[in-house]
Amino acid sequence: QITLKESGPTLVKPTQTLTLTCTFSGFSLSTSGVGVGWIRQPPGKALEWLALIYWDDDKRYSPSLKSRLTITKDTSKNQVVLTMTNMDPVDTATYYCAHRGIAASDAFDIWGRGTMVTVSS
Amino acid sequence: QSVLTQPPSVSGAPGQRVTISCTGSSSNIGAGYDVHWYQQLPGTAPKLLIYGNSNRPSGVPDRFSGSKSGTSASLAITGLQAEDEADYYCQSYDTSLSGSVVFGGGTELTVL
């Protein structure tokens, strides 16, 4: 059974750096084809993809946020970490991590419950 | 503006059939990338509903079906039920954005 759980601060100040951790179980991020992605959703708005890291350490970023994002993995700890610099109130959102499954044609087949991050001074 | 275009809202009465469109371009859906659909019930995380254009994960009722043609895809829901009231998102990949993941803007389904 695959599970993912996001963790990190619930409140950050403008200009600070946000660090979020996705801790997962039920799969290995060293298995060929597997990936973990980050997606966010501002209150009342649509899903927005942020970043994706693959089993071979290939990394992809949203073009509009690429300069602010870094995604890394720690296979031994079953964790994926996302950092976002220079946080702004518009970055207030629920942040989700999700498993990208090859058995599901590369869809995000399992999602975490999300963590709400508020950016405010 | 989302790379994939969905209608903001659709509605239907219980028992009816509704469809939700997802329109892309030659750099995403038209380039051969699969389309996936997610259902997001109020206050919950998105859930995979359809993957690989037309496949249902285990546990998803066969009232839900997906299709893809050219640069567009569609999600159809038959026998509409009150519990289907949710937001629905399509998702694919885009070659012009270095293989980036792209989502539609979401469609709110109201069961009348």
Side-chain angles (χ1 to χ4, degrees), chain A residues 39 41 45-49 52 54 60-61 63 96 100 103-109 111-113, chain B residues 34 36 38 40 44-48 51-52 55 89 91 93 97-101 103-106:
Chain A
I39 302 99
Q41 185 173 38
K45 296 189 177 182
L47 300 173
E48 179 184 20
W49 171 70
L52 175 58
Y54 292 92
R60 303 298 170 101
Y61 296 101
Y96 297 99
R100 174 191 177 274
S105 301
D106 303 333
F108 293 112
D109 55 355
W111 294 61
R113 297 179 67 175
Chain B
D34 285 338
H36 316 297
Y38 303 88
Q40 187 175 32
T44 69
K47 166 193 162 186
L48 181 63
Y51 68 91
N55 301 290
Y89 294 89
Q91 179 250 308
Y93 291 81
L97 302 173
S98 301
S100 294
V101 174
F103 279 97

Side-chain angles (χ1 to χ4, degrees), chain A residues 20-24 27-38 52-59 61 70-83:
Chain A
L20 294 173
T21 301
C22 176
T23 303
F24 57 85
F27 69 95
S28 172
L29 200 38
S30 59
T31 299
S32 179
V34 173
V36 171
W38 284 95
L52 175 58
I53 190 165
Y54 292 92
W55 82 103
D56 59 357
D57 210 37
D58 185 18
K59 302 167 186 177
Y61 296 101
T70 302
I71 189 170
T72 60
K73 62 181 176 71
D74 187 328
T75 305
S76 64
K77 291 184 179 179
N78 281 352
Q79 290 182 333
V80 171
V81 175
L82 180 76
T83 61

